[in-house]
Amino acid sequence: MDAETLREKLRARRRAMNVTMKSDAPDTSVSENTTTGIEELTVGSSMADEYKEEDEETFRSVLASRREMSRRKLEEREKEEATNETLLDALEDQNAVDELLSSPRPQAPASNEITSPRDDTMSTDGTPRARVGQHSALRNRLQAKLQAAKRAGSPSGETSKPPRSRRLKDRMDLSNRFTETVKQHTVMEEEVLLKRIESKLKWKHAITEARASTGQPSDVDCYDFFTKQYEDVAVEEEPAREEQMEGVDEERTEEEETLPPEEQPPTEEDAEDEVEDDQKKLISDVIPNELDWRLFHITAASYPGYHAQLERESLTYFVPSILPTDITKKVDSNTQPRYLEDEGFYVGEKPLVLSKNKNILENRFLRQPDLGKSWFGADGEVESLPNPVKKSSTKPWVESIEDVDGSLVTIYTKACEEDAQSKYLKGSEENELQIDIGTVVFHHHPLMSREHVLASNINRLYDEYLQKRQKNYVNFYTDKLAALRSAVSSLKDSSMLISNSAGVEAHETRINDFTAEIRRTSQQLNTAESSERDLMRGIIAEWGEIKSLRELQDFTNTTTKLTVKREEVNQHQDQQRWDQEVESEVREKKEEYDVTIVAPYKERHRKYQAQLQEWKRNRLKIKQQRRRDQRGSKENLLDAVEGDEDDEGEIMISGNVDKPQKPEKPEAFNEERVRIEVKNLLLEHRRNPGEDRISLQLTNTANITPVGGVPVGESSRRKAMQKSAIILKIVFNGKDVFLTEPKTLTSDFKLHFGSIFRVRIAQWPESLKVQFLEAGLVRNTTFSETFLKVPDVTVHSGNVQLGMVPFVSERVETFEHEGVGSSTPFTLRQHDTNPTSISTKGQLICSVSWGLDGEGHVLAPKGLTNNAADPLNVINPSQNVDPVSAIGAEGIQNPESLSKWVQDSRLDPNDPENAALIPFMESRQDGHGFLYAPDYFRLEQLQEEFNFIADEEFARMNRLRILQLRNEEVNEFRNMTMIPSQEHEVMDSAFTVYERRLREKDSLQVIADRKLDRGMMSEHRLEVLRFRQRVKDAVLHRFYASRHHYTFLDMVHEDQVPDIGTLGASVGKLVEPRRPLKPIRKERKKATAQTLSEGSVKILVNLVRGINIPTRQTPSDVTTDSGTTNPTLPGHNQASKSFLVAPFVAISFQDNVVTSSVAQGPSPSWNEELQVPFFAPNNDYSPSSLQTVDDIIYLHLFDRIVEESQSEEDSSITTRKMQNHWLGSSRIPFSTVYQRGKVEGTFKMKVPPVLLGYELEKQMTPIDPRDRLDIPLNESGKGTYLTLFITLEPTLKPMDPVREKFASQEDELTLHMSATYLSLCNRKYPQRNVKTTVIDMKGESVLVTRYVHPLQPPLELTEGSDPGSLATAEKVARFVSLIPFVSDNVAYVGVCDLWGTCDQFLHMLCGDEEEHAVLLLNYFLHLGKRAYLLLGNAVPEGNSAYVLTVEETTREYFVWNANTGQHYLATDNLSPLKSIGCLVNGDNIWFNIQPHDQPSKVRFELTRGADWKPFFTSKFPRPPTMQSVQPDSLFYVTTDRSYVSRLTDSIERTLKEKIMAWRPRHVTRWNRTCNSLLLQILRNLEQNLNKRNQGEVNHGEQLLRQLGDVKFTGFPMDLPFTDMDGVVSAVRSTEVHKMQDPDVEFSLAVYVHPYPSSVLAVWIYVAAIVNRRRHNL
Amino acid sequence: MTGIIPNPSVFLVMASGQIESAVFPDFEELYCKFSFVHGQDWVVTSGLEEGISQITRKSRDERQLFVWNFPLEITYKSTNPYGWPQIVVSCYGPDMFGNDVVRGYGAVHVPMVPGHHTLDVPMFVPLSTSKLQKFTSWLLGRRPEFVDPKVVAQGEGRDVTRVRSQGHVKISFNVVTRDMKKLGYDVIPSDVTSIPAGTATSVVN
């Protein structure tokens, strides 16, 4: 290609550029320009001239300079021949860099944002573009271009095409990518990019210089050269590309890119500028224009000034005023504010808001465009209360009611009663309603003929007439009138005799009163008589109608017949009486006239006279004055003052100018006229003189025309009547209870049912309804219903009377036949113009009452109160349900009349009291509207739309179910982790435990059946189980709910502000000794649950020492018995003898057993710390979970016997046999350790009464002087003791007790006193145990003294022994101790300590210390002992309850542990009771305020105020009527013998199986002869239990005698029976089964001693017998 | 774990990143603790659940940054996005008396979407209940602290606390997930949009 063509192309290119620049800069609509094609490009140059804009001045100049430069370069280049090779060399780099650089340039005009420091001034205008987008686009383009440049292998113009199309494609791809928009480029990236560009530029610059030196074409030439080629191609390509591209943005940038703006053909203007440009060196000359640089215009920051700032702010800011707003703005402009309260409406109490804040709020509302109209109510106040009469009660605001209905789908879900219990009556006693349905009388019925209607009318009138007659008003008033008249006349007579004025006055008033009374009575007589006469007239007229109708229709339909009886009167006498009547009436009128008209007239006249006199005097004065005035004016006309005075005087006078009106004289009494009036009145209202007295009688004696004699219409009516039958249905609480027999209509439309229905009810009566059914062929149709009133308790079948209940039916019925129909118009009478329309109505004669049982008790439910007597009483739940009765409108049973009443009474719809009646206030469309008034709102009305799965499917999916259950913190699922993600991976077994529990809860009956078969669980125990489960569930629920309530302390750890005490302590800390001589145990830090993991918690048992451990039998015994045969070596024998016993302790907990080292001697000292690992359930170490741990720490004391025997063959082999002999055990519940943090003290071990081979009493005199120390201990108490310290490592945080205020039946004063008493006591001695109120099983707090009440112990215990003796007491205590012990902590999760009453305790057969102690105390009280409930601290149980008895004679105080049945002297140091907090009996509570609380140091004189603080004092005496919560007597069920024997067998069988199972590798032989022997011993033991252990010593001998020379290991155990597992584990813990002698035989005896009330003592004797003889042989 | 499991039962979430820096205007020295809190269906398969950083001083330029660049790396295995892991960061530093004082708590969810994320976690501290408390706690250097820093990752009980904001911490995460889509959880926007209309309706039905 030669230079000429090159130039040609360049020129064309420049023209194109020009166009682009112009069009680009102002409106950026590049695409338009470029796509129109090349034609426009050629025209473009002229457009460049037109395009003049001031903004572009700087831009132009820059362009011009550039052009200039490039022109010069071109000229240079023209001189030199461009060689292809060099061009090619440069091409690759050039292309890359050039494109790189040119790419941002086209965008520059389109952006006024400063993207880099090198942006030039071209970008002073144009549309803003997002910076981010620009940069991302930039980068993309750069990448694409670089790639394209690499590809461009040849210098030809075509090479640029593929890269470009590729670019396009890339970009198109990118544009589809979501990620592109997501990506964000930070400033850092931008900088990096720019740096890269800069470095490239430097490099490029160097090249340019090199080129310039070598004469190569410059960049611009190269660029133009190639882009020139592009033009031609682009034109062809344009349309195709257009189709491809979718986003205008991409297109534009693409186009801009291809048309770099550097070059423009020089125009004339430019040429002129050139000269200047040469002289002025612009910045553009210095910086290479390839760099897309821009010029910043930096101006100083402007300060508009404070006031200007304020002004500007005031435009945007709004500070709401705190001043009250103008009320007129808040209500509609043309209305006045309405104050509903003033109008008498109920207005609720608005929430208290500071008026300041309210004003601010209102001011804000007023700023809103609509002035916040919707926020203000009619009174101009912000509506801060919900509208009480809002119709749709949806929670979210909706436009209109249609919206709600449209979007909501109504799903019918079966209504479930939340509290079904309350609907049902308590107890199982019979409650019976008697409903007596007498007669149904139709006043109108559709099948009535016209005659019937008339007859019904006449009947009604006649009824009314009869009523009137019965009351006999006429006679009554006549008599009264006569009596009054005679009284008046006699008064008048006597008035003559009275002389003094006061008497006369009183007399006159009396006469006046009487006359007034006479007037009233005569008027009443008039109305009464006239109404009666009207009635009679009406009846007769109606009768006439009937008669005429009968004649007209020529048949008779009704039996109605009217008889008129006429009573002849004496004409003359009658007339005389009548005249007399008239006379007296007239006289009375006259008197009345005198009193009411004449007397006032006289008075007025007198006044008038006086006034007239006055007036006349005035008149005279005026005249004189006038005369004087006239004279005066003539004398001094100019005296203005005078004139004024005159005027005034004139006015004064003129005011008096009126002459007083003379009172009108009343009309004179016209006697004649009055007489006529009276006569007329009497004639009108009363029986006329001489007129016969008429009495009417309506009889049903008329004969009905038989069917044969009537027309068709009538006969078809009669047929219809015969077919029509009515049934009554009685509906109680919406449930059908009765249906009467169908009764056919009779011609008189009276249906006599005459039946009494007895309804036995189990629910509270809410409504009682009678439905009237019309019997149909297929089904009965209800045409009416009426409500009956549920009677009061006083109404029973003995005293009830039949009443009328009206009913109405609105059903429209028309017939073809003679029947008039119902609610449909018909002409009743021939001459009637208006048709009448009557709806079916009638009366039901019935009664409702409560039934009576055989003894005459009313069978009404208890608690149904007499509503009429006490409308406020709400015990009857029906009052809450029934809106009608809730407002006290009890009598209204008919909803129709109720709604009428509501409308009439104009209730305030805003008053919440009337909420139940709101539906009545609206017009009722359907008859039942009020029953289904919406009482709900929808909380999540769009829930359906957001459900991702249907509810049914949700319920079906196991995985979702697990997730849901876990979320609800159901116990089994609470700590589940990694719930499988797929439905099929969820095992069905995951629910088995949970479902089993649910099943158990629902129907314990199932297990009952199962277990009863095995004879293990009596029904009684099952019931107990169920009850306990229920209580436990309730408590757990409450507990978990409370766990989600956080307090500040739970969340934030904050140091308390130090008060003076803590400051002092911290100061004191500085001076306290480093190592105090008496160190105080510091509270260890409690570990929180989060930091704990499995295995990190241990129980630390610090075993200190044992006391009085049973010793092996004396060596003499051993030697005599088996001295020669004993295989043990003499030396070892000696050694073992020296310490008598080798005890060690095994602690077993949660399947772990830890043993201590073996010590020596009966009083060993281990001083050893044992660690037992603790595992929390579900690995959850939170307090709530630990609370439920009911594991027990067992401490077993063993004696290790080592037998060494030398093998017979080889004397060098010595066989050692180790055997552990169980000596006793003790148990400490984990809950105790957990709750108390530590348990320490000396515990008594439970040692069996007989330990074969061991001596319980130590008989040896100690040789070792150290043993002397033990003497006092050994003397003071019998039994074996262990000194222990048990704690947890780390200390777990015990559950904070849930402090809840429990409901109580105690009165307020008592509760208040109890609170004060408690706080006083706790302040003084916080450690001491004191209780005033405790929580009973119902969850109500009860005063503790109410629990104390003497109760009769079972007779068998007290029979045949002195009730006061200690032996009896021990027996009773044994009985109580045999009731199983279950800690409340475990049963009720420690949250609350529930106290059951004794009957509940015996019923449940389990309880903790309190229940045991209370029962024992009550027994003791019954036995006549002085006994108290002792609340204190004991080991190991901590806060505990004991019983204190006082032996009156010996002044000995015994402390009884009711759990074990043991008793101790109060002075006994080894008794488990460690401190005494308070004593309680039925009368009072005494708190121990002595400095010491150890039982041995406490003085028990309760009257000493310095030692004991009583609860009831003289100031606050005990209420005399303090009822005990305990029953009066306990009922003891005799224990089922067969059950006991079954149980014995069962235990024995199970134990044998177990023992065999525990010895899997050995054969277990049973020595049967021994069994019976052991059984005998057990029986004896039980019987001798209370006889001071007499037979024990010899029973061992007895055994040995029987069995011969055997080695016998074993012991009897007795334990209360709880369940089989307890027995088994007790036996297992003795480790008898571990006897490994090959010849061992086992013997087992089980004896269950039944006590009353299923209290069982289980005795088990397990023995291992080794026959020594056989062994040795 | 090699190969592609056609029907996985768990999905994996791996998050690596850094606690990069913090801005706390008023303090000089800071260190931070982090811990991941996750729901019951989540198990850490590798990486550290908790950690404590070095003490850093404020940068002396105008940015006033505390830079830790403390690496985080954790891999979770889970069956259920419920309880998605959160990182709880708590910052501590000495006050003017040299007592170690809490400077802020903050928590943020590990991003669900794979890719690189930079999170800005605003920090806050609980306030003293009274002015007197505030003074004594300042004096004694024992400011109120949350009993367990992890409470900031849960909503329960927060209503009883009053807090003040203190600054913010910048955490960057690179998140990789695996098998989430197979288990039916779409978190990547392209996944969400690319569900064909047909399958979308079938899901609904």
Side-chain angles (χ1 to χ4, degrees), chain A residues 979 981-982 1044 1051 1053 1055, chain B residues 9 79 142 145 147 156 183:
Chain A
I979 290 171
S981 56
Q982 305 282 342
H1044 288 278
M1051 292 294 289
H1053 173 77
D1055 274 9
Chain B
S9 60
T79 58
R142 299 226 286 265
E145 291 180 24
V147 169
E156 222 171 39
L183 288 173

Side-chain angles (χ1 to χ4, degrees), chain A residues 1457-1599:
Chain A
N1457 184 345
N1459 297 334
T1460 58
Q1462 305 281 341
H1463 61 280
Y1464 311 88
L1465 270 174
T1467 49
D1468 187 353
N1469 260 335
L1470 279 175
S1471 84
L1473 186 69
K1474 291 301 171 205
S1475 90
I1476 294 173
C1478 70
L1479 294 179
V1480 178
N1481 73 359
D1483 298 324
N1484 212 339
I1485 304 166
W1486 292 271
F1487 180 66
N1488 178 12
I1489 46 172
Q1490 301 168 45
H1492 297 286
D1493 57 355
Q1494 290 95 327
S1496 50
K1497 293 183 184 172
V1498 167
R1499 292 182 294 272
F1500 287 101
E1501 285 87 29
L1502 291 175
T1503 45
R1504 279 176 63 118
D1507 290 349
W1508 298 93
K1509 180 181 167 56
F1511 177 63
F1512 292 116
T1513 54
S1514 52
K1515 274 184 197 161
F1516 176 60
R1518 173 178 179 270
T1521 55
M1522 192 92 154
Q1523 269 219 324
S1524 172
V1525 292
Q1526 305 283 11
D1528 286 337
S1529 61
L1530 289 174
F1531 176 65
Y1532 301 98
V1533 194
T1534 43
T1535 310
D1536 187 3
R1537 292 274 165 187
S1538 64
Y1539 168 66
V1540 171
S1541 63
R1542 255 204 328 274
L1543 184 71
T1544 315
D1545 290 347
S1546 166
I1547 293 176
E1548 197 170 341
R1549 202 171 53 241
T1550 316
L1551 282 180
K1552 279 186 175 167
E1553 281 166 11
K1554 286 284 178 190
I1555 289 177
M1556 287 198 275
W1558 290 333
R1559 296 166 52 87
R1561 287 188 292 165
H1562 302 275
V1563 184
T1564 309
R1565 278 186 292 270
W1566 294 98
N1567 187 333
R1568 289 182 201 287
T1569 51
C1570 193
N1571 283 1
S1572 57
L1573 199 67
L1574 292 178
L1575 187 63
Q1576 192 54 46
I1577 291 167
L1578 287 181
R1579 280 178 200 281
N1580 287 340
L1581 277 173
E1582 172 66 32
Q1583 269 151 30
N1584 296 339
L1585 193 75
N1586 295 316
K1587 291 180 187 161
R1588 303 255 133 214
N1589 309 337
Q1590 291 159 351
E1592 281 166 30
V1593 187
N1594 32 20
H1595 102 262
E1597 291 165 15
Q1598 179 194 349
L1599 251 181

Side-chain angles (χ1 to χ4, degrees), chain A residues 340-511:
Chain A
L340 284 177
E341 200 159 13
D342 296 347
E343 289 174 31
F345 281 102
Y346 174 87
V347 178
E349 201 171 319
K350 294 200 174 186
L352 185 71
V353 181
L354 276 182
S355 62
K356 189 172 76 179
N357 288 343
K358 202 179 73 184
N359 291 336
I360 289 176
L361 185 76
E362 287 182 353
N363 277 315
R364 273 192 202 126
F365 287 146
L366 288 174
R367 291 283 298 189
Q368 287 179 358
D370 61 340
L371 292 175
K373 280 278 181 271
S374 55
W375 293 98
F376 295 110
D379 55 352
E381 294 279 313
V382 174
E383 290 203 349
S384 43
L385 287 171
N387 186 1
V389 288
K390 204 175 151 201
K391 278 190 188 164
S392 112
S393 36
T394 45
K395 193 184 177 195
W397 185 76
V398 282
E399 278 289 340
S400 62
I401 197 82
E402 286 83 19
D403 283 5
V404 181
D405 290 345
S407 60
L408 287 178
V409 184
T410 312
I411 305 165
Y412 174 75
T413 34
K414 205 166 157 44
C416 54
E417 284 288 337
E418 185 139 338
D419 192 9
Q421 290 287 335
S422 69
K423 271 195 88 138
Y424 287 89
L425 297 168
K426 274 181 208 135
S428 54
E429 74 264 33
E430 292 170 356
N431 300 304
E432 194 179 81
L433 266 181
Q434 281 192 4
I435 303 160
D436 184 350
I437 300 290
T439 316
V440 176
V441 181
F442 281 98
H443 291 157
H444 182 81
H445 191 269
L447 285 173
M448 279 181 171
S449 67
R450 285 180 180 77
E451 194 185 330
H452 278 111
V453 178
L454 293 173
S456 148
N457 280 350
I458 203 171
N459 271 326
R460 190 170 45 82
L461 290 172
Y462 182 68
D463 283 348
E464 213 176 314
Y465 168 75
L466 276 187
Q467 267 180 9
K468 283 246 163 73
R469 257 291 155 86
Q470 214 166 12
K471 286 181 181 159
N472 208 353
Y473 283 120
V474 178
N475 279 354
F476 169 71
Y477 287 128
T478 323
D479 293 351
K480 190 179 173 186
L481 207 57
L484 282 169
R485 277 176 185 151
S486 68
V488 170
S489 63
S490 64
L491 269 175
K492 275 178 181 162
D493 291 347
S494 60
S495 70
M496 310 297 174
L497 306 173
I498 297 165
S499 52
N500 63 334
S501 61
V504 170
E505 213 161 274
H507 213 78
E508 270 179 4
T509 48
R510 273 181 76 189
I511 291 172

